[in-house]
Amino acid sequence: MEDTIPYIKTNHSLIITCVNNAAECYLEKSSLLHQPIGSVFNANFDVSNSIKTIYQGKVISFSKHKINSGFCFVFNISDDEVDEQLDFLNSAIENSCIGVWGFNIDTKKVYLSDIARDFLGLTQSQNVSWRKLLSFVHKEDRPQFPIFFENHINLGAPLQFDFKLSQNNDEKWLALKGSLCNRIKDKWINGTIQDCTIEKLAILSLNDANESKQLAIEAGKIGTWRSTKKNNEWLWNWDSQANNIFKMTPQDIGNINKWIERLHPADKDRVLKALEHSLMTGAEFREHYRGILNNNELIYVFAQGRVGTDQTGKHCRIDGVCIDQTETLTAQKALKELNTQLESRVIERTKELHKTLEKAEHANKIKSEFLSMISHELRTPLNGIVGSLDLLSHISLGSESRELVTTASTSANHLISILNDILDLNKIEAGKLELETVSFDISKLLNEVINTFSASAKEKGIQLKVYEHYPELRMLKGDENRFRQILLNILGNAIKFTNAAHIQHKEITIYTSILFLNAYQAEVKVQISDTGIGMTKETLSRLFTPFTQAEKSTTRKFGGTGLGLSICGKLIDLMGGQILVESKLHIGSQFTIKAPFWMEVADKMLVDKDKLSLLHLDTPSENSNYLHTLIDNHFETTHCEDIDRFNSATRHTAHSVILASDLSTLIQICAKLEHNPCPLILVEPSIRHEASIALSQFAIHANQPVTLSNLKKLLKDLAQDELTLENLDLDLDLDNLDIEVTDPLEANPPSEKASNTVINTTNDVLLVEDNPLNQKLLKSQLARLGINCDVANNGEEGLYCWRNGHYKLILTDCHMPEIDGYEMTRLIRTEEAAAEREPIPIIAVSGAVMKGEKALCTSIGMSDFLSKPVKLCDIKQIMERWYE
């Protein structure tokens, strides 16, 4: 066969085996081998010897010839008019993106054009069966295919519907149309298929929007209405929702007169005039009005409408809504009435609250005044008791008498502490407690706290340890007294609850450190750990509650009011710090106190370190290691390895210290010491007593408890050769009072007359006091200090004595008959100013310790303040400060 004639050869199964060059050029395709010829050209090649089909927009006719290997299909290319029409039709279909399909009812064969295949995502070579075609259809639309096809074939119903594909998770909609075509041998259904995704989605969105709009309208009770103008007449219409608002029947829709009948008589004329104005002028219609229904039910309606125009600009329509606001306005009215009632109730309750508040403030004022008064009244007799016991403690007494005095003094001081706790708690709860700001040294403060309890701890067999860690000693600024009060209370509790018979190892450890937050602030951290009775978690949760202790039996067993920790908690809150507690029952407790303080910027305590020689003997213990570190941090230390180097170093240093834990080694070393200068020897507490006996010529001290402040004082006293018994034992109370062991009451007993009348002598101290007992006590305390005084019974006598005498100092009570201490001070200061005299020191001696008492005394011109009960050491400090 000539190669210029295009042809295709197939085997007996109609599978393409050969395509000549002419056919490849004509079809513009060369990859047709091994494919079914019917699938390639979408035609049935086994029925007839003459086949005509459309391939890629070309009309092709084939003539079928049988050959040995199968069949040969020769292209019959014609240029007749029919082919041109077919080409035109095929081009039009493709350009309009319309797919063509055919379905043989008898053989179930499916024909799909190229565009139809693209819609379904099929390639040209894929065979498509009816079952395969249905698998592409979404499962929701699949059942409608047989229904529509059967109705079309049997009943002649139009074959036209949309369906959704389920390929590649893409939502695609196709529109299918077709009709039955009876041929000579078989029946076909031919039709078109189009992509209608955009139109379908738009319709679905529109339906969804309409449904949402309808639901919103129904939920909001919103009706729609309109009116159109036709032949100069307005025709009205509204929806069922608007009809239901006015409770009209369906037949009433569009009857404007029925709506007018529902208008409230008071609103009818206004609403109709507004509507007529909008229709004539085109202005927006916007009205609130009422309606009356058939059952005389009152409704509230809001209506709004806008006027539209035609092409000529004439008003031709109005569209609007009407909203039923009955429930909203009814609720607003009820809410307004309720608000009115509530406002009246609030006004009444506010008045009652003000009255209750005034009563509470009045009661609180009365309570504070009562506490102030009872404090003053209690402190007056307590002053006599405590002062007398204090004087007795400095007199030579027998052991039994001294024990009775100690017991009475302890009880009196305990009573004062209870009184102070109650007053502090009252001031804190009333918000009247103010913190002071003074400069203080934390090491000295800690030393004072340790000194207060060292004797008690030793007596009870409690081992007291203290560790200080200061990177740099700086003066702090804050309320020293309140911080001391917190430490005293917590350490006192630790000693109290560690002193139990069943506790074998009794130990309290105090860790103190300073953290510098910035150039102006520092945080002091004090950790107090004990091996006491411990607490449960339930007890910890209510630990800082007033009048609460660990157990109900604790107060009876250990004593105390339960106010201490409550006051500590409130004080630390005022200071901006915190107290953390960890405890286990029968194991012990740990209190961590953290408090922020300001630092003295000007005074950084940058002084030259004293030179010190240190000899560290034996195996270092924890205590000796601590002292070793403490000395290194705060002294310029020369470390000595043996006694010879130590003896040599002491000639060039101001101080010398030996740390030892073994007595025999210490005795051997001390035998080789050069006794000038004499070193300070610090030993373990367990060998301190034996070491003092064996080496009585040396200054021997236990290495715990030792504070930095105490260590410096011991070294200073040793260097000045003024070491006293009090310096050698931290467990004793250091009053340092230079007094004689005699009884001033017996040596120089004041007469009863001298206690109650003004004595004009040459004494330079004047005591103004109305209570005879306090007169006698204060005179005795001053006499113990070697000072005699004149006595005035009230402010009037005191003023007379001052005017006629030459006094250097006045001690005065504040509350007295005739003229009290406040008025006497004012008069003295006034006369001093007028005469340009130098002010005399006036010291207030008062039992009132409530907030503002000290400030009041200072404001009227008093120089200082003594709180009753007055101890000998308190008067000594005042005299050292003001009496020349």
Side-chain angles (χ1 to χ4, degrees), residues 26 143 191 229 231 350 414 454 463 528 531 612 631 740 745 772:
Y26 182 75
K229 190 175 184 180
N231 298 327
T350 303
H414 182 59
S454 57
Q463 187 176 358
I528 301 175
T531 58
L612 182 143
I631 290 171
E740 297 179 1
L745 300 181

Side-chain angles (χ1 to χ4, degrees), residues 14-16 35-45 55 110-112 114 117 123-128:
L14 298 179
I15 302 299
I16 299 174
Q35 299 185 36
I37 191 171
S39 297
V40 173
F41 294 100
N42 289 313
N44 191 355
F45 283 81
Y55 178 78
V110 177
Y111 164 76
L112 296 172
D114 294 343
R117 286 176 175 271
T123 62
Q124 297 295 334
S125 60
Q126 284 182 277
N127 287 325
V128 182

Side-chain angles (χ1 to χ4, degrees), residues 371-412:
L371 286 173
S372 178
M373 180 270 295
I374 201 67
S375 169
H376 184 271
E377 294 301 321
L378 285 175
R379 286 173 185 275
T380 298
L382 279 173
N383 184 49
I385 296 171
V386 174
S388 299
L389 292 172
D390 187 39
L391 286 173
L392 280 174
S393 67
H394 294 87
I395 297 175
S396 178
L397 299 173
S399 59
E400 184 177 357
S401 299
R402 181 169 293 279
E403 184 177 353
L404 291 174
V405 169
T406 302
T407 302
S409 179
T410 302
S411 300

Side-chain angles (χ1 to χ4, degrees), residues 49 60 65 207 229 280 291 297 349 375 387 397 404-405 460 508 554 557 583 630 675:
N49 292 330
I60 304 175
H65 304 279
N207 291 339
K229 190 175 184 180
M280 292 179 62
E297 179 185 353
R349 292 289 175 90
S375 169
L397 299 173
L404 291 174
V405 169
K460 296 174 181 178
I508 297 175
T554 301
K557 185 176 180 180
S583 184
L630 189 70
H675 301 299

Side-chain angles (χ1 to χ4, degrees), residues 213-214 217 222-226 237-243 245 319-322:
K213 171 187 173 184
Q214 188 61 32
I217 286 175
I222 302 173
T224 61
W225 52 272
R226 70 164 46 181
N237 193 15
W238 51 80
D239 63 3
S240 59
Q241 183 70 21
N243 209 55
I245 291 176
D319 292 274
V321 295
C322 55

Side-chain angles (χ1 to χ4, degrees), residues 605-668:
M605 298 181 67
L606 297 177
V607 297
D608 293 336
K609 294 182 178 180
D610 290 338
K611 294 182 178 180
L612 182 143
S613 302
L614 177 64
L615 178 61
H616 200 171
L617 301 176
D618 314 317
T619 303
S621 65
E622 180 184 0
N623 296 331
S624 60
N625 280 338
Y626 156 69
L627 286 174
H628 194 154
T629 305
L630 189 70
I631 290 171
D632 277 349
N633 287 342
H634 300 282
F635 293 89
E636 185 179 335
T637 309
T638 301
H639 295 277
C640 303
E641 299 175 355
D642 51 44
I643 187 61
D644 294 331
R645 292 194 62 181
F646 183 74
N647 285 330
S648 176
T650 55
R651 298 188 183 96
H652 308 287
T653 56
H655 309 291
S656 55
V657 176
I658 296 178
L659 302 177
S661 57
D662 182 72
L663 180 58
S664 59
T665 304
L666 178 63
I667 294 174
Q668 294 175 7

Side-chain angles (χ1 to χ4, degrees), residues 257-542:
N257 292 322
K258 290 291 185 180
W259 171 73
I260 294 174
E261 291 176 0
R262 297 293 197 277
L263 296 178
H264 193 283
D267 300 336
K268 183 183 296 186
D269 291 342
R270 172 174 57 81
V271 174
L272 292 178
K273 287 181 180 179
L275 183 59
E276 183 179 359
H277 176 72
S278 296
L279 295 175
M280 292 179 62
T281 64
E284 184 180 41
F285 175 75
R286 185 183 180 91
E287 289 292 330
H288 290 271
Y289 59 90
R290 292 166 292 175
I292 299 179
L293 308 184
N294 292 333
N295 56 359
N296 292 325
E297 179 185 353
L298 185 66
I299 61 173
Y300 295 87
V301 180
F302 169 70
Q304 186 173 2
R306 290 187 177 180
V307 178
T309 59
D310 58 14
Q311 297 177 350
T312 62
K314 294 182 179 179
H315 304 139
C316 64
R317 62 182 295 169
I318 183 171
D319 292 274
V321 295
C322 55
I323 304 173
D324 185 358
Q325 296 182 322
T326 305
E327 291 184 4
T328 303
L329 293 177
T330 303
Q332 288 178 351
K333 184 177 180 182
L335 182 62
K336 187 176 181 180
E337 293 177 356
L338 180 61
N339 285 338
T340 303
Q341 295 176 4
L342 289 176
E343 286 177 0
S344 62
R345 290 181 184 179
V346 168
I347 293 173
E348 293 176 2
R349 292 289 175 90
T350 303
K351 291 180 180 178
E352 293 177 3
L353 182 62
H354 281 304
K355 291 180 180 179
T356 305
L357 185 61
E358 289 175 358
K359 290 180 180 179
E361 290 177 348
H362 182 64
N364 189 56
K365 183 179 179 181
I366 292 176
K367 182 184 75 170
S368 298
E369 291 175 353
F370 170 76
L371 286 173
S372 178
M373 180 270 295
I374 201 67
S375 169
H376 184 271
E377 294 301 321
L378 285 175
R379 286 173 185 275
T380 298
L382 279 173
N383 184 49
I385 296 171
V386 174
S388 299
L389 292 172
D390 187 39
L391 286 173
L392 280 174
S393 67
H394 294 87
I395 297 175
S396 178
L397 299 173
S399 59
E400 184 177 357
S401 299
R402 181 169 293 279
E403 184 177 353
L404 291 174
V405 169
T406 302
T407 302
S409 179
T410 302
S411 300
N413 287 325
H414 182 59
L415 181 59
I416 292 173
S417 66
I418 293 174
L419 181 61
N420 288 337
D421 283 348
I422 294 174
L423 291 174
D424 280 345
L425 187 65
N426 178 69
K427 286 188 283 186
I428 292 172
E429 291 180 346
K432 296 181 178 179
L433 182 69
E434 294 181 356
L435 298 178
E436 296 180 344
T437 301
V438 297
S439 297
F440 68 96
D441 183 352
I442 183 61
S443 181
K444 290 182 180 179
L445 186 148
L446 182 64
N447 185 61
E448 293 171 2
V449 173
I450 298 298
N451 283 345
T452 303
F453 292 104
S454 57
S456 174
K458 183 177 181 180
E459 179 185 352
K460 296 174 181 178
I462 299 174
Q463 187 176 358
L464 201 60
K465 294 183 177 181
V466 57
Y467 300 97
E468 295 176 278
H469 301 281
Y470 308 132
E472 177 186 348
L473 266 183
R474 298 281 296 274
M475 291 296 290
L476 303 178
K477 293 180 67 176
D479 198 324
E480 177 187 14
N481 290 328
R482 292 301 179 183
F483 192 59
R484 180 189 290 107
Q485 181 179 354
I486 294 172
L487 297 181
L488 288 172
N489 195 291
I490 294 179
L491 183 56
N493 280 347
I495 291 176
K496 182 196 307 183
F497 295 117
T498 305
N499 183 34
H502 66 277
I503 299 176
Q504 299 297 325
H505 179 62
K506 300 178 181 181
E507 181 179 292
I508 297 175
T509 306
I510 304 168
Y511 292 91
T512 305
S513 61
I514 296 180
L515 174 63
F516 296 113
L517 303 176
N518 50 52
Y520 307 98
Q521 286 182 306
E523 181 185 71
V524 175
K525 178 181 177 182
V526 181
Q527 193 175 77
I528 301 175
S529 305
D530 64 61
T531 58
I533 61 175
M535 294 173 284
T536 63
K537 291 183 178 180
E538 181 183 359
T539 303
L540 287 175
S541 64
R542 51 187 173 84

